[in-house]
Amino acid sequence: MDTNDLSPAELRVWHAFPKGASVDLRTADDEDAAGGADWGPQRTVRAEVLRALLLGGPLQETEIPALRLAGARITGTLDLAHGTIEHALHLNDCYFEDTPLLYAARLRQLNLSGSVLPGLAAATVHVEGMVQLSDCRFGGLVRLGGARIEGALFMNGCDISPPDTTEWPALRLGHATIGDNLYAPGLRTRGEVRLSGASVAGSVTLDRATLHHPSGAALDAQTLTVGSDLLMRHVHVEGWIGLRGARVPGRLDLSYAQLSNPGGTALRASSCAIGELWLRKGPPMQGALNLRRSQVDVLFLEPDVLPDEVMLNGLLYTTLTPHEPAERRLPMLHNESEGYLPHGYEQLTGSFLRVGDDHAARVVQLAKLRRHRRTLPWLGRIWGHLQEATVGYGFRPLLAGFWLLSLLAVGSVVYGLHHPPPLKPDEAPEFHPVFFTLDLLLPVISFGQEQAFAPRGWYQTLAYGLVVAGWVLATTVFAGVTRTISRGVGPGGSP
C-alpha cells in the first residue's frame, strides 16, 4: 500500500505498527464510542489499511509488531477471513461501521474491548491467546460457533442487541473450545445465547448477567462441559435456560437468580452431572424446574425458590442442604408434574437418614404412603385409611397401643359386668374378663379363656369385632415394622 494515500491518522497507525506502539485517538478517557459515527477524518481509519498492515505490514528488526489502536472510526469491512495473522490485534474503544469478518482466521490475540460494532463474524476462528470483548456493544449477531480459543474469553459488561432475535442466536458459541475461563459478568443479551456442545477448560462466570429472550431459549447450553464452576449469581433471565447433559464438576451457582419463563420451563437441567447445585436466596422461579435423571453430589436447595411445578423423576443427590423440616421439603415432591413417584420420596428419606434425622425420614415415608393411597382403587384407599387411623402405617406403634388398651378396657368392662356362659361348666376355668378380652384381641396368644366361654347375642357380636380389630392391628403393625426395618427407618415414636 502506498503511504502517500494514507490520511494523517492512518499514517500514525502505519508507523506505530512495526514497533507495536499504541495509537490513541481518543479526546477523553471516558469517551463513549457510541458517538463514533460523528468522528471526523482525523479519527477515521479505513479497514483496508488495517488489513494491509496485519497481512503484510512493515517490520523492524529487534521489534515485535502489533496493531494497537484506540478511539478510531473504522470504515469499510475488516476482512481477515481464512487469514493467518501473526501479530496481536488490539482495536479498543473503536467504532466499526461494518461487521468484522474473521471467519476461520488464525490470530495471535484479539482485543476489541470497549468498541461498538454492528456484529462479529468469527465462526471457527482460532486464537492462540485470549479474546477480549469486554464492554463491547454489538448491534447485531456475534458468531463464534466452533471457535478455538486457547486462552480465556472475556465478555464482561458486553452488550449484544440484534434487531431480529427470532431466527438466529444473538451470541453463538456452540461447539466452541476455550482453553481457560469464559468470564462474562454483567453480560447483556437480547436473544438466545448458545453454548451447546461448548467446552470450557476453566470456569464460566455469568454473574449479574441479563439474558432476555421471553418464551425462547435465553441460554441454550446443552451438553456444555465445564472444567470447574458455572456461576450465574444475581442473573436476570427471561426465557428458558437449557443445560441438558451438561457436565459441571464444581458448582452450578444460581444464588439470587431471577428466572422467568411463565407457562414453560424456567430451568432445564436434566441428565446433568453436577458437583454442587445451588438454588437459593432468589424469588420463586416463574416456570417449571426440570432436574430429571441428573446426578448431583450436593443439592443446595431452599424451598422458597421452588416453582409450583417440578420434574424430579430419576434425580439422584447425595446431600440435601440446608437442613429443613420434612414439612418444608415435601411440597417439591407433591408438585411433581408426573404425579406420584416413589423414587423422590426415597431420595428425600435417604438424605434425612444420612444426617441422622429419623423423625423427618418417618414423616417423608408416611407422606409417601398417603400419596400412594390416592392412586389405589377404592378398596385399597379404604384399607389405607384404616392402616393410618389404627397404627399410622406402622410408623406410630404408640397409636396401636392406644387402640389395644382402649379395646381391652371396653371388653374387660363389658364382659366383667356380664360373664359369658361356659361351654363346659365342669371343665371351665375361672372366668377373667381381662384375659378373655386379650384372647380375643391377640391372635397368636391364648390364655384358655376364649375356648372355654361362649358369649351370646350382641356380646358375641362384640367378640367378633374384637377378633377382627386384633387381626387388623396385628397385620398393620407387622407390615409397618417390616417395611421400616427394610428401609432402615426406626418406627419408634410418632411423626
Side-chain angles (χ1 to χ4, degrees), residues 251-269:
R251 185 169 78 249
L252 170 54
D253 194 344
L254 284 156
S255 301
Y256 305 95
Q258 298 181 47
L259 308 183
S260 176
N261 189 34
T265 301
L267 176 60
R268 303 176 181 179

Side-chain angles (χ1 to χ4, degrees), residues 238-379:
E238 294 187 32
W240 54 266
I241 297 176
L243 295 169
R244 182 179 58 82
R247 298 292 181 266
V248 184
R251 185 169 78 249
L252 170 54
D253 194 344
L254 284 156
S255 301
Y256 305 95
Q258 298 181 47
L259 308 183
S260 176
N261 189 34
T265 301
L267 176 60
R268 303 176 181 179
S270 57
S271 303
C272 293
I274 303 171
E276 299 182 16
L277 173 57
W278 288 27
L279 293 168
R280 65 186 192 104
K281 303 300 182 184
M285 290 184 196
Q286 298 181 35
L289 170 64
N290 185 348
L291 298 177
R292 290 172 177 161
R293 301 176 302 280
S294 287
Q295 297 184 22
V296 182
D297 291 336
V298 178
L299 180 57
F300 196 134
L301 176 61
E302 292 184 347
D304 295 335
V305 175
L306 287 171
D308 294 332
E309 181 183 0
V310 297
M311 306 171 194
L312 306 178
N313 190 9
L315 171 65
L316 298 175
Y317 54 86
T318 303
T319 302
L320 179 62
T321 188
H323 186 70
E324 296 271 1
E327 292 78 8
R328 291 262 292 161
R329 293 296 186 186
L330 285 171
M332 74 176 180
L333 303 181
H334 298 335
N335 294 338
E336 169 61 51
S337 64
E338 297 184 37
Y340 169 68
L341 293 176
H343 175 267
Y345 291 90
E346 295 304 317
Q347 278 284 293
L348 186 56
T349 298
S351 70
F352 281 124
L353 288 175
R354 279 188 287 272
V355 296
D357 194 342
D358 294 342
H359 168 77
R362 289 193 297 272
V363 172
V364 175
Q365 284 292 298
L366 185 55
K368 172 192 171 185
L369 293 167
R370 288 170 176 163
R371 185 75 183 279
H372 174 63
R373 184 174 65 207
R374 295 193 306 215
T375 68
L376 300 175
W378 68 270
L379 189 59

Side-chain angles (χ1 to χ4, degrees), residues 425-441:
D426 297 336
E427 301 177 8
E430 181 182 354
F431 178 77
H432 197 293
V434 174
F435 289 101
F436 178 76
T437 306
L438 283 175
D439 261 353
L440 297 174
L441 285 172

Side-chain angles (χ1 to χ4, degrees), residues 24-104:
D24 193 345
L25 303 178
R26 294 176 296 180
T27 58
D29 291 339
D30 59 350
E31 187 178 53
D32 189 352
D38 299 327
W39 294 342
Q42 70 279 8
R43 298 183 61 176
T44 299
V45 178
R46 290 171 293 167
E48 61 182 295
V49 176
L50 303 180
R51 185 176 189 274
L53 279 172
L54 292 169
L55 293 178
L59 303 178
Q60 186 173 332
E61 292 186 6
T62 71
E63 296 292 348
I64 301 175
L67 179 56
R68 305 180 189 275
L69 175 61
R73 179 166 69 98
I74 300 175
T75 61
T77 301
L78 180 58
D79 186 355
L80 300 175
H82 301 283
T84 298
I85 310 302
E86 301 291 346
H87 322 296
L89 175 56
H90 291 228
L91 297 172
N92 306 128
D93 299 304
C94 292
Y95 180 87
F96 289 76
E97 289 188 347
D98 297 302
T99 299
L101 301 180
L102 306 179
Y103 177 79

Side-chain angles (χ1 to χ4, degrees), residues 13-250:
V13 177
W14 192 273
H15 291 315
F17 173 79
K19 299 179 182 179
S22 298
V23 176
D24 193 345
L25 303 178
R26 294 176 296 180
T27 58
D29 291 339
D30 59 350
E31 187 178 53
D32 189 352
D38 299 327
W39 294 342
Q42 70 279 8
R43 298 183 61 176
T44 299
V45 178
R46 290 171 293 167
E48 61 182 295
V49 176
L50 303 180
R51 185 176 189 274
L53 279 172
L54 292 169
L55 293 178
L59 303 178
Q60 186 173 332
E61 292 186 6
T62 71
E63 296 292 348
I64 301 175
L67 179 56
R68 305 180 189 275
L69 175 61
R73 179 166 69 98
I74 300 175
T75 61
T77 301
L78 180 58
D79 186 355
L80 300 175
H82 301 283
T84 298
I85 310 302
E86 301 291 346
H87 322 296
L89 175 56
H90 291 228
L91 297 172
N92 306 128
D93 299 304
C94 292
Y95 180 87
F96 289 76
E97 289 188 347
D98 297 302
T99 299
L101 301 180
L102 306 179
Y103 177 79
R106 186 181 183 98
L107 309 176
R108 289 281 188 177
Q109 187 181 47
L110 177 63
N111 187 338
L112 302 176
S113 298
S115 294
V116 176
L117 308 94
L120 179 63
T124 67
V125 69
H126 181 188
V127 183
E128 297 177 6
M130 66 180 63
V131 174
Q132 295 189 353
L133 303 177
S134 303
D135 299 315
C136 283
R137 280 164 287 178
F138 295 94
L141 306 178
V142 176
R143 289 170 285 182
L144 287 163
R148 180 181 173 188
I149 301 171
E150 297 185 17
L153 172 59
F154 293 90
M155 300 189 71
N156 44 301
C158 186
D159 186 289
I160 306 173
S161 301
D164 182 10
T165 62
T166 58
E167 187 173 0
W168 303 105
L171 171 59
R172 180 179 293 180
L173 273 165
H175 302 284
T177 301
I178 300 174
D180 202 328
N181 299 326
L182 169 54
Y183 186 73
L187 173 69
R188 299 179 300 278
T189 60
R190 181 177 173 271
E192 178 185 338
V193 175
R194 182 170 296 176
L195 280 168
S196 55
S199 176
V200 181
S203 62
V204 176
T205 302
L206 296 172
D207 293 342
R208 303 182 305 281
T210 301
L211 311 180
H212 182 82
H213 195 204
S215 302
L219 173 62
D220 184 356
Q222 299 182 67
T223 66
L224 169 68
T225 300
V226 177
S228 55
D229 302 324
L230 173 52
L231 306 177
M232 299 182 65
R233 298 165 293 199
H234 297 277
V235 296
H236 187 184
V237 180
E238 294 187 32
W240 54 266
I241 297 176
L243 295 169
R244 182 179 58 82
R247 298 292 181 266
V248 184

